[in-house]
Amino acid sequence: MEDIEHIEKEMKLIDENGVRLDGRKFDQLRPIRIEAGVLKRADGSAYIEWGGNKVLAAVYGPREAHPRHIQDPARALVQCRYNMAPFSVSDRKRPGPDRRSVEISKVISEAFSSVVFKEQFPRTSVDIFIEVLQADAGTRCAGLTAASVALADAGVPMRDLVAACASGKIGGVVCLDLNKEEDNFGDADCPMAVVHGTGEIVLLQMDGHLTFDEFQKAMELSLGAADRLFELQRDALRRRYSVTLEEILRESPPPVAPPPEPEDRDFAPVEEPGPQDEAPPRDEDFGPEGI
Amino acid sequence: MEERGAALRQIVIPGEAVGGPGLKPGPGTFKSGDQILAAQLGVRTEHEGRVSIIPLNGRYIPQRGDAVVGEVTDLGPSHWLVDINAPYPAPLHATESPWRVEFGDTGRYLKVGDAILAFVLSVDEIKRIQLTMQDRDARKLNGGMLMEIAPTKVPRLIGKQGSMITMVKELTQTRIYVGQNGRIWIDGPEQGAAAAVRAIHFIEERAQAIGLTEAVRDLLEKETRGTGVSS
Amino acid sequence: MSEEIVSDLMRAHIYRLAQRGERVDGRGLDEPRKLTVERRYVGTAEGSARAKLGNTDVLVGIKMSTGEPYPDTPDTGVLSTSLELVPMASPTFEAGPPRPEAIEIARVVDRGIRESKMVNVEKLCIKPKEKVWILFIDIHVLDYDGNLFDVGSYGATAALASTIVPAKAQGLGEDFPLPVEHWPVSVTFAKIKDLILLDPDLDEERMAEARLTVTTDENGDIRAMQKGLSGSFSFDEVKRCIETSQKVGRQIRPILQGS
C-alpha cells in the first residue's frame, strides 16, 4: 500500500459483469514490457513497465562482500536493496530507506537466495538493486520480475528464473494484479514469487482478509500469471542477444581431447573435481595470449 | 527472419532443459533428476557426450594458468594486491615476482597504479587466489594503454587458434596482450592502437554476429589505409 | 577499468592524447559528449526528464506541494534540490546518507537554477507569509560515467521546463505550466596537469587535479561557479573556461529547451 488516499465515496471496484475500473477482467494482467541490459556500468540490468509501474533493476556481482565481517566463508550472500525514488509516488517520498523498503528488500533477497548457486562463490555478495521510478501498486512484484532478468543478464549462475505477481480481493471478488486504487480500497493483497520450472514459492506475503478458498483462487491466478511473465522474461533476454549458433561455434570451437595444449587451447572441457550434480562446473580456459 | 527466429531460439536461459540421460553436464549446466539444465544465459553446445553452455555474460572467474592483466591497488612488506576484475582480491607474493625483493622493499619494484601481466598460480577450494610473475611472458606493463571487455567475450576476441587477435595485431602493427580477465593491453603507433581499440569494441559488441571476421578485416583495412600502418 | 584507481599507464596515455588535443573516446578537449533528453518520463511527478550525457544517465523528478515560506523570504516559493548516488549507478556508490560529493553537486545545480532565476519564485507565492509552492528537484543517478554536475543540471532544467503546477489538486484554480524565465547551462572542466578538458568522463574525472563548473544564462552572463578538488587554476585558465562555457552553453541550451 504505497499511498494512503482519502476515501471520498463508495467506489465500485468491480461491476456486475466482472469488469474492473480499468476495464480488465478478474484474471487479466496489466500491460507489461521488459527490456534487458539497459545500463552500462552494472553487471546486469533490466527495466520493466507494468501497468503504471516503471522499475529498474541492476545486479553487481558476484563481488567481494564488504564489510569483511558479513562475508560467509562457504557461500555468496544475496543482498537486495529495494528503493523508491522520491518522485515515484503522488506524495513525494523522502530519500532513504523506510521500514517498508527494508522489509521488501529482505523478502526479495531471500527469494533470490533460493535460486542462485551461492556455493560457487564463497565470501562474495551478489548485490541486486531495485529502483522504483514510478509506482502504481505491485512494485515489489515488478521489481522482483525485473531483477530476475537482471541476474540472468549478469550471468549469475542460478537454477531458474523467478517471477512474481500479486492477487487480491476487490469488491468480494478474487482478482489478479491489483492496481493502485484496487490495492488501496480492496479487501486483500497477496504478492507471490514463483520459481518457474518447479513452481516453488519463494516469496509470499498477504494482508487483508481471505478465506482459505479465496486464497487458493488467488494462488492459482498468480501461478498462471507467473507463466506469462516467464515468457516476457525469456523474450527480453533473447532479444538482448540476437545470435547465430553457427557463428558462436565457429569462433569458439568445440573441445579437443584432453589434456589441452597451451599454445592453441580451444574450448576444452576439464574434468572438474567436486559435485557435478548440485553446482554447475566452471568454464574452461581459452589459453593466454602473448606477443 | 526465419533464420533469426531459429537463431533466437538457440539462446537458453537459466532453468531451461538442455539435455537428458546419456549426456554429461558440462560448464554452465547442472543436473536436476535425470535432466541437465542451464545455469546461465548462453548458447547450448554439445561435444563428445557433454553438454555445456557458452555464457553470454558473467564475471571473470580465475582459473589456474590464466594470463591476466591487473593493476596494483595495495602493497605490504612481502606482497602486492592486484585488481584483476575478479570477485576476489589477488595477491602476488614477493617470492612469486621476477625480482629478488627484500622484506619491506616491495614498493621499489611495483607500486600502486602499476599495470602488470601476470598468471594465476593457484585457486584453492575456497577460491583464494595467488598470482605469479614467474613466467617468461609475465612483466610490468609500460607505455601503451589498457581497455576492458566482458570476460566472456575473450574467446571470441582471441578466435580459433588465435586467428582473430592475430589479424588485429597484424593489420594495426600493435602488440596486444589479452588477459582472460577481459583486460587488454595495446601498444603501438597511435593510429594503429586507436584502430585496434575500435576493432576490439566492434568484436565485443558483435560477438554473436555472422561474418564477424570479414567485417573486422574490412574495418581495419579502412582504418589503416594511407596512415603508413600496413600489414 | 579498476573500480577506484586509474593506472599510471592509463594516466600517461590519457595525458599524451590530450596533449595532441584528443581524448580516448575521440572527442576534442572542448567537446562535450552527446546529450539526449527525454521529457515527461515519470507520470507521478509534476515534471521529469531523463538526461544522458555520454554514458552518464540521470532521471530528475520535480514534485510540488504547498507549505510555509522561509521566514526571510515570506512571499516567494521554495526550491530544494537533492541528488542521490543510487548504488546501481556505480560499484563505488554505497547506500546510505548523502556523501559530501553528492551534497556539493546538488547545491551547485541548485545554485545555477536559483541564481539564474530560471523559475520565478515570486510567482509561486499563494498567500504571503502563510502559503507558497514548494518545489523539490530530485536527481536520481542511474548510470555513472563522470560529470554529474552537468548532467544533473541538464536533467533538472529540462524537467523544470516541462513541469505543470498542480494547482487544481490543491484547490487553487487550474493547473498551469511552471513559469520558466531563464535558461542556465552548466559546463564543467577537469584540469589534468596543464591541460583542461571539458565534460570529463569517469577516468578523466578520477585523474583530475582540479575541477571548475561554470553556469551561464542565455545572455552569456555568469550565474554560478564552483571550483573543486585540491589543485588550482590560473586566472587565464578561469577566463578561458568561462568563454568556453558561454560558447558550449549556446550549443546545449536548445537541447534543454526542447527545440
Side-chain angles (χ1 to χ4, degrees):
Chain A
M1 317 271 174
E2 267 84 314
D3 265 32
I4 308 300
E5 309 235 330
H6 202 59
I7 300 180
E8 286 163 351
K9 59 182 197 293
E10 264 294 309
M11 234 206 244
K12 202 122 190 248
L13 293 170
I14 183 164
D15 71 11
E16 318 72 44
N17 300 315
V19 178
R20 294 147 80 169
L21 285 178
D22 60 4
R24 285 186 290 154
K25 293 272 164 111
F26 76 101
D27 60 352
Q28 284 180 300
L29 280 171
R30 291 172 283 176
I32 301 174
R33 120 182 144 82
I34 306 179
E35 225 182 294
V38 293
L39 296 177
K40 286 269 176 358
R41 216 68 203 277
D43 293 329
S45 57
Y47 172 69
I48 188 168
E49 283 180 3
W50 182 329
N53 291 305
K54 291 186 175 174
V55 184
L56 199 49
V59 169
Y60 282 97
R63 59 179 178 177
E64 224 189 334
H66 285 298
R68 287 281 293 272
H69 67 83
I70 66 164
Q71 283 180 10
D72 185 335
R75 61 187 62 82
L77 304 169
V78 177
Q79 302 184 97
C80 172
R81 181 179 183 259
Y82 163 101
N83 184 54
M84 298 186 83
F87 43 78
S88 63
V89 285
S90 317
D91 289 334
R92 178 179 179 264
K93 181 191 168 291
R94 285 234 310 263
D98 59 10
R99 290 155 63 85
R100 174 181 166 277
S101 303
V102 170
E103 187 199 359
I104 294 175
S105 301
K106 181 173 192 287
V107 296
I108 296 181
S109 301
E110 287 161 357
F112 285 118
S113 199
S114 145
V115 292
V116 169
F117 282 111
K118 303 192 292 281
E119 280 73 27
Q120 267 208 302
F121 306 100
R123 296 177 290 122
T124 66
S125 181
V126 174
D127 293 328
I128 305 166
F129 298 102
I130 295 174
E131 289 290 323
V132 179
L133 308 177
Q134 182 176 295
D136 186 21
T139 57
R140 81 195 67 188
C141 292
L144 190 151
T145 304
S148 204
V149 175
L151 280 166
D153 186 45
V156 174
M158 40 188 197
R159 56 189 180 92
D160 217 326
L161 293 187
V162 185
C165 190
S167 292
K169 191 167 84 174
I170 53 173
V173 181
V174 174
C175 288
L176 179 68
D177 187 21
L178 306 191
N179 66 22
K180 193 163 78 166
E181 282 77 38
E182 294 171 335
D183 192 22
N184 286 339
F185 301 112
D187 310 316
D189 187 35
C190 184
M192 184 165 89
V194 181
V195 177
H196 169 69
T198 61
E200 291 159 71
I201 296 170
V202 288
L203 182 149
L204 180 63
Q205 296 178 285
M206 181 271 174
D207 63 40
H209 182 197
L210 289 174
T211 66
F212 182 77
D213 281 340
E214 286 170 341
F215 171 70
Q216 251 186 292
K217 280 202 202 122
M219 215 174 91
E220 277 157 19
L221 284 175
S222 291
L223 284 173
D227 283 339
R228 280 171 276 164
L229 288 168
F230 167 74
E231 316 242 313
L232 292 169
Q233 292 171 312
R234 186 193 55 203
D235 289 345
L237 287 165
R238 284 186 175 163
R239 264 197 329 268
R240 164 126 169 76
Y241 300 96
S242 50
V243 72
T244 58
L245 179 64
E246 218 177 83
E247 187 68 10
I248 283 270
L249 288 182
R250 211 185 320 144
E251 299 288 346
S252 305
V256 295
E261 289 303 303
E263 269 63 50
D264 54 13
R265 205 178 330 185
D266 295 329
F267 185 68
V270 171
E271 271 307 322
E272 281 290 322
Q276 293 281 47
D277 289 337
E278 286 96 41
R282 293 176 353 210
D283 285 326
E284 266 77 40
D285 195 2
F286 277 79
E289 177 65 22
I291 287 192
Chain B
M1 220 49 228
E2 178 71 58
E3 193 189 79
R4 194 158 187 269
L8 288 181
R9 277 198 293 279
Q10 302 294 351
I11 300 185
V12 298
I13 60 176
E16 201 169 320
V18 290
L23 284 173
K24 292 205 302 280
T29 69
F30 66 103
K31 256 186 109 99
S32 176
D34 60 358
Q35 286 249 293
I36 299 173
L37 307 182
Q40 284 177 286
L41 177 71
V43 176
R44 181 190 180 281
T45 175
E46 196 181 310
H47 186 76
E48 287 176 1
R50 186 189 277 264
V51 63
S52 313
I53 302 295
I54 303 173
L56 292 170
N57 201 3
R59 294 277 291 173
Y60 169 59
I61 309 298
Q63 305 247 21
R64 189 164 61 85
D66 279 356
V68 291
V69 173
E71 290 163 37
V72 178
T73 58
D74 202 356
L75 50 79
S78 58
H79 77 287
W80 301 269
L81 215 55
V82 185
D83 167 20
I84 57 169
N85 195 26
Y88 304 98
L92 170 69
H93 205 267
T95 54
E96 288 296 336
S97 75
W99 313 288
R100 266 196 81 161
V101 184
E102 302 274 317
F103 186 84
D105 213 18
T106 43
R108 190 140 73 93
Y109 300 92
L110 286 175
K111 58 185 193 338
V112 172
D114 280 345
I116 60 173
L117 175 67
F119 291 83
V120 177
L121 177 67
S122 65
V123 182
D124 71 10
E125 328 71 54
I126 60 169
K127 304 294 205 301
R128 276 187 308 216
I129 305 168
Q130 289 285 340
L131 296 181
T132 182
M133 283 181 75
Q134 297 204 335
D135 182 297
R136 61 181 172 83
D137 287 332
R139 65 201 60 202
K140 174 166 175 244
L141 295 168
N142 295 307
M145 57 164 291
L146 294 173
M147 65 177 292
E148 201 170 298
I149 63 170
T152 50
K153 305 278 167 72
V154 167
R156 192 89 169 101
L157 176 61
I158 293 177
K160 197 178 203 152
Q161 278 149 359
S163 54
M164 180 74 88
I165 196 67
T166 303
M167 177 177 72
V168 174
K169 288 191 293 196
E170 280 172 359
L171 289 178
T172 58
Q173 295 286 289
T174 53
R175 290 189 299 162
I176 302 180
Y177 289 135
V178 179
Q180 289 298 313
N181 58 341
R183 296 240 178 96
I184 302 162
W185 180 78
I186 302 168
D187 191 27
E190 294 289 356
Q191 299 282 56
V197 170
R198 278 192 280 281
I200 293 171
H201 278 313
F202 188 87
I203 294 166
E204 190 194 11
E205 278 159 34
R206 291 161 179 70
Q208 293 88 35
I210 314 171
L212 183 63
T213 315
E214 294 72 40
V216 174
R217 182 181 296 277
D218 283 346
L219 173 78
L220 286 173
E221 278 168 358
K222 262 200 270 293
E223 296 259 352
T224 56
R225 192 179 306 147
T227 60
V229 181
S230 54
S231 48
Chain C
M1 210 52 58
S2 150
E3 281 161 17
E4 302 278 1
I5 61 162
V6 183
S7 61
D8 285 355
L9 191 159
M10 274 308 277
R11 284 170 187 261
H13 176 73
I14 290 172
Y15 183 68
R16 250 189 339 259
L17 279 181
Q19 282 181 308
R20 296 193 344 240
E22 287 170 28
R23 294 155 85 168
V24 173
D25 59 3
R27 284 187 285 156
L29 298 193
D30 277 352
E31 211 182 310
R33 288 170 288 179
K34 174 156 175 264
L35 171 64
T36 59
V37 171
E38 209 182 318
R39 265 159 275 269
R40 296 191 191 87
Y41 200 85
V42 168
T44 42
E46 277 70 66
S48 60
R50 186 155 171 186
K52 281 193 216 192
L53 185 59
N55 291 328
T56 302
D57 186 354
V58 307
L59 176 57
V60 183
I62 311 292
K63 295 292 293 176
M64 294 188 71
S65 56
T66 58
E68 277 179 22
Y70 287 132
D72 51 345
T73 52
D75 49 7
T76 63
V78 173
L79 272 185
S80 170
T81 308
S82 71
L83 178 138
E84 191 170 341
L85 299 176
V86 181
M88 67 166 49
S90 166
T92 55
F93 293 171
E94 281 167 15
R99 303 197 307 221
E101 290 79 16
I103 293 176
E104 187 190 16
I105 298 168
R107 287 175 63 85
V108 172
V109 169
D110 183 279
R111 204 167 298 147
I113 291 168
R114 190 186 300 273
E115 299 305 329
S116 64
K117 307 217 188 305
M118 175 178 188
V119 176
N120 189 339
V121 288
E122 268 130 47
K123 294 199 178 138
L124 295 181
C125 178
I126 300 165
K127 190 158 184 212
K129 291 210 195 90
E130 283 182 32
K131 205 176 193 187
V132 297
W133 283 106
I134 303 182
L135 203 148
F136 292 98
I137 302 170
D138 287 300
I139 305 169
H140 219 61
V141 181
L142 303 176
D143 214 350
Y144 176 55
D145 190 17
N147 196 5
L148 289 173
F149 284 88
D150 288 353
V151 72
S153 172
Y154 301 158
T157 305
L160 287 167
S162 60
T163 296
I164 305 287
V165 180
K168 206 161 181 190
Q170 302 277 345
L172 294 165
E174 288 300 306
D175 289 349
F176 59 95
L178 186 70
V180 164
E181 295 177 2
H182 295 284
W183 295 90
V185 176
S186 160
V187 178
T188 297
F189 303 85
K191 185 171 172 186
I192 296 176
K193 296 208 199 162
D194 54 326
L195 299 172
I196 296 183
L197 281 54
L198 188 152
D199 179 25
D201 67 17
L202 186 60
D203 279 348
E204 293 166 344
E205 201 176 78
R206 289 195 293 199
M207 276 174 70
E209 290 140 27
R211 187 196 63 231
L212 182 65
T213 300
V214 181
T215 305
T216 54
D217 65 18
E218 62 277 6
N219 298 318
D221 295 331
I222 309 164
R223 294 299 187 146
M225 285 209 285
Q226 183 92 343
K227 175 261 173 193
L229 304 176
S230 52
S232 64
F233 288 91
S234 70
F235 191 27
D236 274 340
E237 285 170 338
V238 173
K239 283 195 286 192
R240 268 193 291 132
C241 287
I242 296 173
E243 275 164 5
T244 309
S245 300
Q246 292 166 328
K247 187 173 70 137
V248 172
R250 280 193 292 275
Q251 291 160 15
I252 293 191
R253 196 164 285 108
I255 305 175
L256 303 179
Q257 288 170 321
S259 40

